[in-house]
Each structure stands twice: as C-alpha cells, then as structure tokens.
Amino acid sequence: MVGVFHSADAGRHSRGSEAKLVCNLLIGCSPKWNVVGTWKGKVEIDPEAAGKLSAKELSDVKALVARDASASELHLFKDGTFQLSNHDAGGSGTEYTGTWTLSGDLLKRTDLTLNGKAIQSKPAQYKVVDGGKKLVRNYTGKQYQLVAGIAFVKAP
C-alpha cells in the first residue's frame, strides 16, 4: 500500500506527519521503531513457566531451543518483505519468505513460502521490546510460548 497526498490534504498535514506516514507505509518504521534490517535468533525464557521445571528440565529445554535460535536469522526489508532462515553448519535447514507489517510495537509476519514452495499460514506476531532492540514472539497476548522460544535481537 502506498500513501498518496492530494493537494486538498496539504493544509491538514504538516511535513513531519507526511514523513511519518511515508515512513510507516514504505519502510516499516514507526515513530518509535525502525525494524528494517537483520535480526539474530536468541533464546527467550518465560520466567514464570521456567520456575515450574527442575534445573535439568530447564537446561534441556534451553539446549533444544538454543540450537535453533543460534542458526536463525531474520531479514526485514524496506519493501515490507522478509526472509527468515535457519541453517545448520552443514547448510541444510529452512527458509521462509513473506510479508511483514508494523503497527505501534506489534510486528506481524506472514509466511508465504517455505523452502520456495507456497504455503498458507496465520501471521506470527512479535512485540518490539527493549527500546526497539528485540522482537519477542507474541502468542495470543502473551510474550512467551510455554517455557522457551526464539526472540530476535537486532544485529549491529
């Protein structure tokens, strides 16, 4: 979607609000966050759920998620598309592509392909946290799924 200002609108919008609208529509930033760029996977733990596990169970869960998290990389492009890859040292793995939108501090990612084949999926939601430096998966209003999940930290 591209925003177009008609001359009749010019008196109602300041240059700043036009710039913010164009920024939101075209390159996926909000007045608070610019999420365009590369994001690296990171393990995210739900402290409440983790408190119900033994030390061994928690260690096992962290190890399982860490393997996927360390191999995950999310690229959010200015045109509203993304590429999410998860490849092991041998080069095998998965790659998702699709579209994304940002509304306030909620990023929605809609997968359109998996390893080059068309798929249908519900949008995945992420909450932008830590001053725009982290994307945490948002599962139906909660920031975490079960005990551990993959968050993304913006690469420098």
Side-chain angles (χ1 to χ4, degrees):
M1 173 175 21
V2 176
V4 177
F5 285 97
H6 299 284
S7 58
D9 292 333
R12 292 192 303 245
H13 299 285
S14 69
R15 288 186 128 200
S17 66
E18 288 178 14
K20 286 178 187 175
L21 180 61
V22 170
C23 181
N24 284 330
L25 294 175
L26 297 180
I27 63 171
C29 53
S30 73
K32 287 184 172 182
W33 322 117
N34 180 3
V35 297
V36 171
T38 300
W39 298 77
K40 303 286 186 179
K42 172 185 181 299
V43 175
E44 190 72 19
I45 303 294
D46 180 348
E48 183 181 330
K52 298 174 184 175
L53 298 179
S54 71
K56 168 84 169 104
E57 290 170 326
L58 183 57
S59 175
D60 290 347
V61 168
K62 284 181 179 179
L64 180 66
V65 174
R67 189 176 38 203
D68 284 338
S70 65
S72 294
E73 192 168 271
L74 174 63
H75 300 278
L76 298 175
F77 302 108
K78 290 180 183 181
D79 65 357
T81 62
F82 76 88
Q83 176 184 9
L84 172 61
S85 57
N86 184 317
H87 296 281
D88 62 22
S92 63
T94 58
E95 185 170 294
Y96 292 90
T97 61
T99 60
W100 64 272
T101 59
L102 180 65
S103 178
D105 63 355
L106 188 64
L107 183 134
K108 290 184 182 180
R109 186 195 89 211
T110 303
D111 302 338
L112 299 177
T113 69
L114 170 59
N115 295 333
K117 295 182 181 180
I119 61 171
Q120 290 186 349
S121 67
K122 292 183 179 181
Q125 296 184 25
Y126 296 86
K127 184 118 172 140
V128 181
V129 297
D130 289 348
K133 296 177 186 170
K134 190 186 324 180
L135 301 175
V136 178
R137 188 73 184 260
N138 190 18
Y139 293 91
T140 60
K142 261 194 99 172
Q143 288 188 5
Y144 307 96
Q145 177 189 32
L146 303 176
V147 176
I150 299 175
F152 290 92
V153 177
K154 194 153 191 189

